[in-house]
């Protein structure tokens, strides 16, 4: 429960923490009592562990620290958190996950153990997902890429005579995804066919994402998209250098196949609509070899469709997003 609480605290920093830092929450427990809590709130604020230690004071001695991410072990704008934890006399640290930052990457745990602190790493999936974009950005120096696609039950991404594959609720979810992403991208085939805006609309948005088109130009007259015509790895590295941590890839199948074949997709988000198309392309063009997904989750999106009778009772659901991710750093 204390690690769950630390994850909740970490979320308080979302939207405030600079792109170069992760979300972190910390809880200090002495006996059965929570004696200190903290989270990183952005530049100029103490790190989560230091904030929690400050709240706990002397009660931190002999206590257990629950923290969502491995305490840092390097000197940056602040001294190493791992050293502060040892100095405070904390007896045990339970960490959600290790820090993939090359400046840390296990060194925080080493400092703790060398200082006589018992260390347990739970390798929490929730802790990984909480900072999924930052983890890829800091360790691989490219944005975390999510490929979003809507398809029918027979695996088609178009429906004859219809502009949309999925319903209104799932399309709203897509605008929420855009609002939460640093950049949104499509291929030039989609640009020429649909002339997409790629803006986040009718949802709360602090700032619009950068809107990109991968492929050979030119862009249609009046398009406000950024054209990225270079090799994918190089383009993603450049975007990372410019502060883009998360990229939402919206299509089409050819561009998706290029990203997948290069190992550049970190998450698949598939909206499966209860429709049959009968013709049209699938979500991904030809791949050189099959690709295995890692963890998969699913949820319902929108209201259920009416029950229909066709000889025997059956029920169908509205478009449902299914997410699959390979192991994150």
């Amino acid at each position: 429960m204390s690690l769950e609480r630390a994850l909740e605290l970490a979320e308080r920093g979302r939207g405030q923490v600079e792109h170069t830092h992760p979300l972190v929450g910390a809880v200090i427990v002495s006996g059965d009592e929570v004696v200190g809590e903290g989270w990183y709130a952005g530049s100029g604020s103490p790190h989560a562990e230091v904030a929690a230690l400050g709240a706990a004071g002397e009660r931190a001695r002999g206590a257990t620290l629950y923290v969502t991410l491995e305490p840092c072990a390097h000197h940056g704008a602040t001294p190493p958190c791992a050293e502060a934890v040892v100095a405070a006399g904390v007896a045990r640290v339970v960490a959600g996950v290790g820090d993939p930052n090359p400046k840390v990457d296990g060194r925080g745990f080493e400092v703790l153990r060398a200082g006589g602190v018992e260390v347990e790493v739970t390798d929490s999936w929730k802790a990984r997902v909480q900072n999924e974009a930052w983890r890829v950005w800091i360790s691989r120096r490219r944005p975390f890429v999510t490929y979003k696609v809507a398809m029918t039950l027979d695996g088609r991404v178009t429906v004859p005579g219809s502009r949309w594959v999925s319903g209104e609720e799932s399309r709203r979810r897509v605008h929420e995804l855009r609002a939460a992403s640093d950049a949104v991208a499509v291929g030039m085939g989609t640009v020429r066919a649909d002339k997409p805006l790629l803006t986040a609309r009718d949802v709360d948005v602090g700032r619009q994402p950068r809107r990109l088109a991968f492929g050979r130009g030119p862009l249609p007259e009046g398009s406000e998209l950024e054209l990225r015509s270079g090799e994918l790895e190089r383009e993603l590295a450049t975007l990372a250098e410019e502060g883009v941590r998360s990229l939402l890839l919206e299509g089409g199948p050819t561009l998706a196949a290029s990203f997948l074949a290069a190992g550049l997709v970190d998450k698949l988000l598939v909206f499966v609509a209860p429709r049959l198309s009968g013709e049209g392309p699938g979500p991904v063009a030809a791949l050189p070899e099959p690709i295995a997904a890692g963890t998969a989750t699913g949820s319902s999106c929108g209201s259920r469709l009416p029950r229909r009778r066709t000889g025997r009772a059956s029920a169908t659901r509205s478009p449902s997003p299914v997410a699959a991710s390979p192991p994150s750093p």
Side-chain angles (χ1 to χ4, degrees), residues 106-274:
R107 294 179 181 87
F109 296 143
E110 291 176 1
V111 170
L112 294 174
R113 292 187 176 107
V117 179
E118 178 187 348
V119 176
E120 177 187 349
V121 185
T122 66
D123 198 18
S124 162
W125 179 252
K126 289 183 179 179
R128 286 181 177 273
V129 171
Q130 186 170 66
N131 284 303
E132 60 185 5
W134 177 83
R135 295 181 69 84
V136 167
W137 179 84
I138 197 69
S139 62
R140 299 179 182 173
R141 294 300 176 184
R142 65 165 176 81
F144 180 90
V145 178
T146 298
Y147 173 40
K148 183 278 303 177
V149 63
M151 70 179 189
T152 59
L153 289 174
D154 56 341
R156 313 290 184 171
V157 296
T158 59
V159 176
S162 176
R163 180 182 179 187
W164 307 110
V165 172
S166 58
E168 182 177 341
E169 182 61 25
S170 62
R171 293 199 296 273
R172 178 179 175 82
R173 289 279 294 276
V174 171
H175 284 283
E176 292 172 349
L177 289 168
R178 290 178 180 177
S181 300
D182 294 325
V184 182
V186 293
M188 281 302 299
T190 300
V191 171
R192 297 185 182 101
D194 300 335
K195 297 181 180 179
L197 296 176
L198 302 184
T199 53
R201 301 184 293 278
D202 301 321
V203 296
D204 292 334
V205 55
R207 54 164 177 70
Q208 288 291 340
R210 289 176 61 175
R211 294 168 291 154
L212 315 175
F214 284 94
R216 295 184 178 181
L219 290 167
E221 184 177 353
S223 174
E224 296 183 358
L225 306 186
E226 300 176 37
L227 182 62
R228 315 294 297 207
S229 299
E231 185 261 340
L232 289 182
E233 286 88 346
R234 183 62 255 170
E235 290 289 2
L236 291 186
T238 300
L239 289 170
E241 292 169 359
E242 295 169 354
V244 175
R245 295 197 314 183
S246 56
L247 172 65
L248 179 63
L249 189 64
E250 295 200 14
T254 302
L255 182 63
S258 297
F259 269 78
L260 285 163
L264 298 175
V265 174
D266 302 290
K267 178 186 287 187
L268 297 174
L269 188 60
V270 184
F271 290 84
V272 183

Side-chain angles (χ1 to χ4, degrees), residues 2-14 16 23-28 34 36-41 48 52 66 68 130:
S2 294
L3 189 55
E4 288 289 333
R5 173 60 178 166
L7 289 166
E8 292 176 2
L9 292 170
E11 282 298 319
R12 296 185 180 183
R14 194 171 295 279
Q16 303 176 50
L23 302 176
V24 185
V27 176
I28 298 176
V34 174
E37 294 185 337
W39 65 93
Y40 182 55
Y66 295 86
T68 57
Q130 186 170 66

